[in-house]
Amino acid sequence: MRIVIRTSRWAIWARRFGGVAVPLLVISVLLHHLRLITSDLFLVAVLSAGLVAALAVLAGIVALGRLWFSGDQGWSRALMGIVLGGLCLMPFAWYGNLALRYPAVTDIATADRGPMPLVFEPGTASMPTPKMLTSAQRAVIFPNVETRTYPLGLVPTFGIVRSLVASNGWDIKMLREPVEGLDVGQLNAQIVTLPGWREEVVVRVTGTATTAVVDMRSASLNALHDFGSNGTRITDFLAQLDDAVTTLLRDNPNANQPIDDDDDEPAPPAN
């Protein structure tokens, strides 16, 4: 007589849940990134994926415990359910850690936001009210998010800013390039995060022919929590700008001197 070895139903459901969670999470992120679904629908879909992934892990753990004593089949299915569910839960663990590290903020700036408006200005029905830090909170959480002043002309400083924005791959939506030393240079650029959230950066450069003042703003357009992305983005960008200006002034000591029209004529040859 042939002995029939059963397959654990817990293992079967663990594999099924894991097989549903992965495509649900991936497709949700892809559609949100491509702006094919709204942010509200994305949140519902991604939270559903997280719930299904948690069920896969739970069912897999229960299956392993029962298989150890029953001798039934289903080890591979239980383990696969745990692996697939665990992979889907990793982003939730990552963002959960960021939520514990950073407060729920969506708009950070080094100075008054009035002169640095967004291309997609808050106030529309589809954009939540921005959440901001006080100056004291910003100094503690993001101490390097502060106005920069450089001994370099406004025009060359803005050129460095634009070059850094391009190298970071940000999509420039508005550009006001300074022509002379007293003009104001400003650009707005949009960033799409991996999960598909839209964030906007504003960089404003003022000053003279020999000095430049740089302010920066970074804001989330359709999120309730930026998980620290806006503050870290400003910190990283200004650090890059500090290094670029320092390198330029080190390699070109006279780069901060304005060009004199009287010096346009070529100098006489040396004897």
Side-chain angles (χ1 to χ4, degrees), residues 10-144:
W10 284 98
I12 294 173
W13 279 108
R15 178 63 181 83
R16 288 176 178 174
F17 282 137
V20 171
V22 172
L24 181 58
L25 181 63
V26 173
I27 293 174
S28 300
V29 172
L30 182 61
L31 293 179
H32 190 232
H33 198 89
L34 297 175
R35 307 186 76 170
L36 297 177
I37 59 175
T38 63
S39 296
D40 293 340
L41 183 58
F42 167 72
L43 286 176
V44 172
V46 79
L47 290 176
S48 299
L51 177 60
V52 175
L55 291 175
V57 173
L58 179 61
I61 293 175
V62 173
L64 292 179
R66 294 174 66 90
L67 289 172
W68 180 265
F69 294 102
S70 67
D72 292 342
Q73 293 181 345
W75 288 91
S76 60
R77 296 187 183 187
L79 291 173
M80 183 60 68
I82 293 175
V83 170
L84 294 177
L87 288 175
C88 290
L89 291 177
M90 287 178 64
F92 292 90
W94 171 255
Y95 282 103
N97 177 59
L98 292 178
L100 294 176
R101 291 176 55 190
Y102 300 106
V105 177
T106 59
D107 193 340
I108 295 181
T110 61
D112 180 26
R113 292 166 176 79
M116 295 186 288
L118 303 176
V119 173
F120 301 94
E121 189 64 47
T124 61
S126 60
M127 180 176 288
T129 303
K131 301 176 182 179
M132 298 173 284
L133 296 173
T134 64
S135 299
Q137 291 173 327
R138 191 188 69 207
V140 173
I141 303 173
F142 300 107
N144 292 321

Side-chain angles (χ1 to χ4, degrees), residues 166-190:
S167 65
N168 284 327
W170 300 346
D171 184 16
I172 297 178
K173 296 295 185 180
M174 192 278 290
L175 177 65
R176 184 170 66 194
E177 199 160 358
V179 178
E180 298 179 356
L182 296 179
D183 292 339
V184 176
Q186 183 168 314
L187 63 81
N188 290 50
Q190 191 178 106

